[in-house]
């Protein structure tokens, strides 16, 4: 996924892009769609690559969301 396209994703687009397998992983971690979308937006802000560069697949993005969520939980 290109960073610029990811930045333009609405919440509904984000929800629709998550496969049942990825949703299952988020559910195991008790991560809601809203929280996942918020973490997704944070990842996009923190990523220091050009807006025309590839940020990975939705699957890899969900893995990063889970990692960020775990970091947040451990920090609190």
């Amino acid at each position: 996924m290109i960073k610029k396209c990811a930045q333009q994703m609405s919440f509904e687009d984000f929800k629709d892009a998550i496969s049942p397998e990825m949703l299952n992983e988020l559910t195991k971690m008790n991560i809601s769609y809203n929280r996942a979308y918020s973490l997704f937006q944070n990842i996009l802000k923190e990523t220091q690559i050009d807006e025309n560069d590839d940020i990975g697949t939705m699957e890899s993005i969900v893995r990063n969301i889970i990692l960020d969520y775990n970091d947040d939980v451990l920090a609190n």
Side-chain angles (χ1 to χ4, degrees):
M1 177 180 304
I2 303 300
K3 183 177 180 181
K4 183 177 182 178
C5 295
Q7 290 171 322
Q8 296 171 350
M9 282 184 95
S10 69
F11 176 72
E12 290 301 318
D13 292 337
F14 176 78
K15 278 179 49 176
D16 292 342
I18 295 178
S19 71
E21 294 82 14
M22 290 184 280
L23 178 59
N24 187 39
E25 293 302 315
L26 291 171
T27 302
K28 285 180 188 177
M29 300 299 296
N30 291 322
I31 303 172
S32 68
Y33 276 125
N34 287 331
R35 182 69 178 131
Y37 185 69
S38 175
L39 290 166
F40 173 65
Q41 294 296 315
N42 289 342
I43 289 169
L44 292 173
K45 289 176 190 170
E46 294 171 2
T47 303
Q48 297 182 10
I49 63 172
D50 187 69
E51 67 179 16
N52 294 314
D53 288 340
D54 190 354
I55 61 168
T57 64
M58 221 24 216
E59 186 174 306
S60 67
I61 292 168
V62 169
R63 282 192 207 117
N64 285 326
I65 288 169
I66 291 170
L67 290 173
D68 280 8
Y69 177 80
N70 284 334
D71 288 346
D72 286 353
V73 168
L74 292 174
N76 294 324

